[in-house]
Amino acid sequence: MSSPESQRVSANGPPAPVAIIADDEDLGRLLLAEAAAECGLESLTFDNGVEALDAALSREVAIVLLDVDMPGLDGYAVCRRLRADPRFRTVPIVMVTGHEDATAIRLAFEAGATDFVSKPVNWALLPRRLAYILRNAAAAEHIERLAYFDALTGLPNRQRCLETAEQMLVEAAESHESVALIYMDLNSFKRVNDTFGHSVGDTVLRTVATKLTNALAGFREQHRHLLLARFGGDEFVLLVRAAAAREVAVQLANACCAAFREPIQYDGLEFYSAPSIGVAVFPDDGRDVATVLKHADTAMYQAKASGTSSVAVYTPAMSSRLRNWLDLEARLRRAVQDDLLRLVYQPKFRLSDNRIAGVEALLRWCDAEYGEISPNRFVEIAEDSGLILDMGGWVVRAACRQLREWLDRGYRIPVAINVSGKELLHGDPARVLEMEAAAAGVPASLIEIEITETLLVKDSGVVRAALERFRQLGCRIALDDFGTGYSSLAYITRFPPDRIKIDKAFVHNVDRSPADAAIANAILSIGETLSLVVTAEGVERPGQLEWLRARGCHEVQGFLLSRPLSPQDLEQRFLRAAANEERADVRARLANE
């Protein structure tokens, strides 16, 4: 057992580094402890290998001195067990024994020993020898930290995580346990870097690492085989080996989520960067690290996409959905590159004279294998993959070319296109429009830009600057889906649009529901007060149309009046008639003059 005097702690400052000493002879333990003390170490001494091993695994250790022949576990077994723990990768282990034959030396180094000291020991020389070993160990530990630890957060890095996972899987297979891999990705972290710079982003990441470490502190006593690592960027991975690793992993994941309910504060700013977390377990979800990691990543994306849960546990169905997603992403990329998308155009009509006032360009994609893909589906894929910038450029180019064809036929009609938040925040859509309009030889003022009201609510300087750039080109700005997001009353006065569109959710029962009618009336009143054009979407019944007309709504669009049409059908049904009416009006004015 450990001797009482060997457990002293420094009276001044933090505890001294610890030496674990195991020798079944009392005098040997005493002399080894004195040699360790000359090197500035506090000693824990034991007369058997079992207690020495338990003590070493439960604390930070500077060096381990082991006799070979001991009760319980011999020195070789203790050495092997310690080397199996990643924490003892660079800790020096010295075998101090009366065996000095070649076989004993070979067994010692095969077990992982750093050095071998034969008895009888030169006790005057031993402190110097230990000091030399400790200096080399410190250098090795420094190299170890550079190779296996993240410089920003101090956590184990990707390489250490993967190597530890490999070892955990081997040990779990031998002990009939399981290993859970918990994959965490911070939501909206890229926005922090883009908005405030990488120095602030680094501070946030350090705070995240601290929050996660603190959240896991209460679990470490019960679950010794637990590792938190920074996997890269804003991704963190947690490993845990246990008999019921899946249940433990869910507890750990929920604890990590709870740590982010309060915002991260920095220099008067508050950041909410809650993680999306995926869980996968060996051996149920994979027989090797790469497979389990892939499935945890898949579950994480499921958690991110669900919008209702921060934690998702892997199921085989998730892989099928991910394969479908990736296949559609590849096909969509080819469709953009090979010009396989198309635009259809839904007319907007003025209620004052029932004439066509403009069209909204709507993107459609018919894949050769999957058929017609829902716009909600492929736009989500485009935004997630970053393809939205290329796809937005395709829409602008196609709309400008179509405008050129209509102008050549004598049809001058404004075209509205939808611009996503990612295009405004991470691209330069105004520059794209300017270039494409010039290439097609059409006035940019014939393009109207539609954005959702949530973009305006974010009150981002980047968004405002992009919209102002569109204004300088002569484009009008429309606020789409008005009333469905946050209250925008304050924001539309800071950057007033030219048009607001009443969302179809409020138009659906506007002539039947007092509540919807009250909301629509309020929006119409805002438009009148701010001198904005108000367009109602989703008009499908005569009752809706007459209600809107009676209350002074300026424009309407919906299936009652026209579904989205191909350019040819739009021309035949509306543009020719509109051009003829306009020419007739001109002739009438000239005749009156």
Side-chain angles (χ1 to χ4, degrees):
M1 63 178 66
S2 59
S3 59
E5 67 273 13
S6 69
Q7 302 184 55
R8 295 189 305 273
V9 177
S10 298
N12 299 318
V18 171
I20 298 292
I21 295 172
D23 193 320
D24 59 353
E25 295 180 357
D26 294 342
L27 180 60
R29 292 196 301 275
L30 176 62
L31 294 173
L32 287 172
E34 289 181 353
E38 288 193 43
C39 297
L41 303 176
E42 294 287 343
S43 297
L44 295 178
T45 62
F46 303 89
D47 60 8
N48 67 88
V50 175
E51 290 188 6
L53 176 65
D54 288 343
L57 292 174
S58 64
R59 55 179 46 81
E60 293 293 323
V61 175
I63 193 170
V64 179
L65 306 175
L66 299 173
D67 190 9
V68 169
D69 298 319
M70 293 184 294
L73 291 174
D74 64 24
Y76 302 138
V78 174
C79 186
R80 283 192 295 271
R81 297 278 187 90
L82 291 177
R83 288 299 186 216
D85 190 307
R87 294 173 299 164
F88 282 83
R89 188 189 300 264
T90 59
V91 173
I93 301 175
V94 180
M95 307 299 290
V96 184
T97 176
H99 299 285
E100 57 180 356
D101 57 281
T103 300
I105 296 172
R106 176 178 58 80
L107 290 174
F109 287 109
E110 285 180 353
T114 307
D115 202 353
F116 188 97
V117 176
S118 299
K119 293 181 180 178
V121 177
N122 184 332
W123 297 108
L125 179 61
L126 183 61
R128 308 293 183 273
R129 188 166 181 175
L130 294 182
Y132 176 77
I133 292 171
L134 288 168
R135 282 197 303 273
N136 286 344
E141 183 179 1
H142 178 66
I143 295 172
E144 169 95 352
R145 293 204 65 82
L146 292 176
Y148 289 104
F149 287 83
D150 175 50
L152 179 65
T153 64
L155 294 175
N157 62 12
R158 182 190 187 96
Q159 185 63 31
R160 169 56 66 84
C161 178
L162 293 174
E163 290 185 10
T164 303
E166 293 280 2
Q167 183 178 340
M168 280 192 178
L169 263 59
V170 172
E171 294 169 350
E174 293 174 349
S175 60
H176 304 290
E177 293 182 317
S178 51
V179 176
L181 196 151
I182 304 164
Y183 202 112
M184 293 178 274
D185 178 84
L186 300 181
N187 299 324
S188 305
F189 178 75
K190 187 176 187 301
R191 191 183 306 163
V192 175
N193 273 339
D194 290 346
T195 306
F196 301 102
H198 287 275
S199 61
V200 175
D202 288 349
T203 300
V204 171
L205 284 174
R206 283 191 289 267
T207 305
V208 166
T210 300
K211 278 179 172 283
L212 291 173
T213 301
N214 293 340
L216 299 172
F219 294 89
R220 289 194 179 277
E221 285 188 15
Q222 187 176 358
H223 303 289
R224 192 173 69 190
H225 302 290
L226 188 152
L227 177 79
L228 172 66
R230 183 187 175 201
F231 214 58
D234 59 351
E235 297 171 337
F236 294 81
V237 167
L238 180 60
L239 303 172
V240 61
R241 187 186 114 204
R246 189 178 302 274
E247 292 76 8
V248 173
V250 172
Q251 295 174 13
L252 294 171
N254 288 330
C256 290
C257 287
F260 291 90
R261 287 175 185 158
E262 296 298 322
I264 295 171
Q265 297 184 348
Y266 171 77
D267 196 23
L269 301 171
E270 290 188 345
F271 303 100
Y272 286 88
S273 289
S276 293
I277 300 178
V279 176
V281 179
F282 165 87
D284 297 344
D285 301 327
R287 308 293 299 185
D288 55 73
V289 171
T291 303
V292 178
L293 178 63
K294 178 181 71 175
H295 290 162
D297 187 37
T298 298
M300 183 274 292
Y301 274 104
Q302 179 68 23
K304 189 183 290 288
S306 70
T308 58
S309 174
S310 298
V311 180
V313 180
Y314 175 78
T315 63
M318 291 179 183
S319 288
S320 176
R321 285 195 294 271
L322 181 61
R323 282 194 296 271
N324 177 261
W325 178 284
L326 294 174
D327 186 34
L328 282 175
E329 179 187 326
R331 289 173 175 273
L332 180 59
R333 194 174 298 277
R334 288 195 297 271
V336 173
Q337 293 171 350
D338 299 341
D339 214 25
L340 300 177
L341 304 174
R342 75 182 194 280
L343 291 180
V344 294
Y345 300 87
Q346 185 168 33
K348 296 181 288 188
F349 297 91
R350 282 191 301 269
L351 289 179
S352 60
D353 58 10
N354 296 324
R355 291 185 179 181
I356 188 170
V359 294
E360 179 180 358
L362 301 170
L363 188 60
R364 296 292 184 264
W365 176 33
C366 183
D367 181 72
E369 180 174 332
Y370 290 94
E372 287 287 344
I373 310 295
S374 162
N376 288 339
R377 176 71 165 160
F378 69 74
V379 169
E380 180 186 11
I381 291 172
E383 291 204 337
D384 181 74
S385 64
L387 187 58
I388 192 68
L389 300 182
D390 291 335
M391 196 167 76
W394 186 95
V395 169
V396 172
R397 183 162 55 255
C400 288
R401 289 175 178 174
Q402 187 58 61
L403 272 172
R404 181 67 267 163
E405 290 183 23
W406 283 334
L407 287 171
D408 290 343
R409 292 187 178 94
Y411 309 134
R412 187 180 181 88
I413 186 78
V415 175
I417 62 172
N418 293 277
V419 177
S420 75
K422 288 200 173 181
E423 289 178 86
L424 291 172
L425 290 168
H426 306 300
D428 191 356
R431 175 62 176 161
V432 172
L433 174 59
E434 183 179 27
M435 293 174 61
E436 295 296 345
V442 299
S445 57
L446 280 178
I447 299 290
E448 183 176 277
I449 305 301
E450 289 195 7
I451 64 170
T452 60
E453 69 166 299
T454 49
L455 264 178
L456 210 56
V457 169
K458 289 176 182 176
D459 200 25
S460 162
V462 176
V463 171
R464 290 199 305 275
L467 295 179
E468 185 58 46
R469 183 85 173 85
F470 278 122
R471 279 267 173 80
Q472 292 169 1
L473 295 174
C475 300
R476 294 181 178 274
I477 308 296
L479 203 55
D480 199 8
D481 302 333
F482 190 80
T484 60
Y486 305 91
S487 173
S488 301
L489 301 183
Y491 298 97
I492 62 175
T493 59
R494 296 181 195 172
F495 194 98
D498 302 289
R499 179 194 310 277
I500 54 178
K501 302 184 73 174
I502 306 176
D503 187 74
K504 60 185 178 182
F506 304 119
V507 174
H508 182 66
N509 286 318
V510 72
D511 56 334
R512 298 171 176 173
S513 165
D516 287 350
I519 293 172
N521 268 321
I523 295 173
L524 288 165
S525 178
I526 292 169
E528 182 179 3
T529 301
L530 298 177
S531 300
L532 305 177
V533 176
V534 179
T535 302
E537 299 179 295
V539 177
E540 299 176 352
R541 294 182 287 102
Q544 299 165 326
L545 180 63
E546 294 312 314
W547 189 97
L548 292 162
R549 189 192 304 275
R551 277 132 183 104
C553 185
H554 302 107
E555 297 176 355
V556 292
Q557 67 182 103
F559 287 0
L560 175 67
L561 305 165
S562 175
R563 291 178 177 271
L565 302 170
S566 68
Q568 297 76 18
D569 289 343
L570 181 73
E571 184 177 330
Q572 291 174 6
R573 288 188 56 184
F574 297 107
L575 297 188
R576 288 177 185 172
N580 290 335
E581 289 174 355
E582 187 174 341
R583 283 193 287 268
D585 289 344
V586 171
R587 285 195 297 268
R589 285 199 301 270
L590 291 174
N592 291 332
E593 293 176 358

